[in-house]
Amino acid sequence: MMVIMGPTIRPLSAADVAAVVEFSLRAWAPVFESFRAVLGERVYQVLYPDWSATQARAVEAICQDDTAAVWVAEQHGRPVGYVAVRIHADDSTGEIDMLAVDPLVQRQGIGTALTRFAIQRLRDAGVGLVVVGTGGDPGHAAARRVYERLGFVGLPLVRYYARLDTDAGHSLA
């Protein structure tokens, strides 16, 4: 019988940031390909002309943001996942702001462990409602399954995009 140990979850250190950025970009590459397929190339290029640079800056920013709490999941001495949360004191809600798991270890429960950990930390802080945003595209299907399995209820929202340098809007009567 083989026993699979869960990850160790600990606070992010400055030494973790480069690894977190690197595996996050690999984790999100299929998501951005999904966006490309859903949106079409012309709209995608307007929204995400250099998604990896933008995402790298966003991950670095959350890792250095004093208003966020960030933890990493570690296996064999290296970061393999992370979660960032924020507490919104004005309405007593908490938000799972970012979460990523290294594709080399996905489907091993690390995302679920990080989500549960974040929920518990928010509960310990007195938060009564937790929100997490994710995409409705195929690239986010695994994330939606984790959140739904842990009791989150999705509110379907739709955001429409149209390039105005095409014939968008010209078919109106």
Side-chain angles (χ1 to χ4, degrees), residues 148-166:
E148 291 168 6
R149 202 170 43 244
L150 293 177
F152 285 82
V153 176
L155 174 63
L157 300 171
V158 178
R159 182 178 298 235
Y160 290 95
Y161 298 92
R163 290 237 356 208
L164 297 180
D165 60 349
T166 64

Side-chain angles (χ1 to χ4, degrees), residues 11-108:
L12 174 91
S13 73
D16 297 323
V17 175
V20 167
V21 169
E22 190 275 329
F23 73 67
S24 294
L25 295 179
R26 287 189 292 106
W28 291 331
V31 168
F32 282 91
E33 283 306 310
S34 177
F35 287 171
R36 184 188 307 269
V38 170
L39 294 168
E41 190 65 30
R42 290 176 51 83
V43 171
Y44 176 85
Q45 285 302 323
V46 170
L47 290 171
Y48 308 109
D50 188 358
W51 75 266
S52 60
T54 302
Q55 284 302 115
R57 285 190 300 273
V59 173
E60 289 170 349
I62 196 80
C63 288
Q64 298 166 359
D65 188 335
D66 293 338
T67 67
V70 184
W71 296 278
V72 295
E74 182 180 90
Q75 283 185 334
H76 309 294
R78 69 177 190 89
V80 294
Y82 85 106
V83 63
V85 302
R86 296 180 192 274
I87 295 176
H88 303 288
D90 57 329
D91 63 2
S92 300
T93 63
E95 179 178 6
I96 297 174
D97 195 297
M98 279 192 189
L99 190 150
V101 174
D102 188 328
L104 298 174
V105 295
Q106 287 178 356
R107 298 189 189 342
Q108 295 181 22

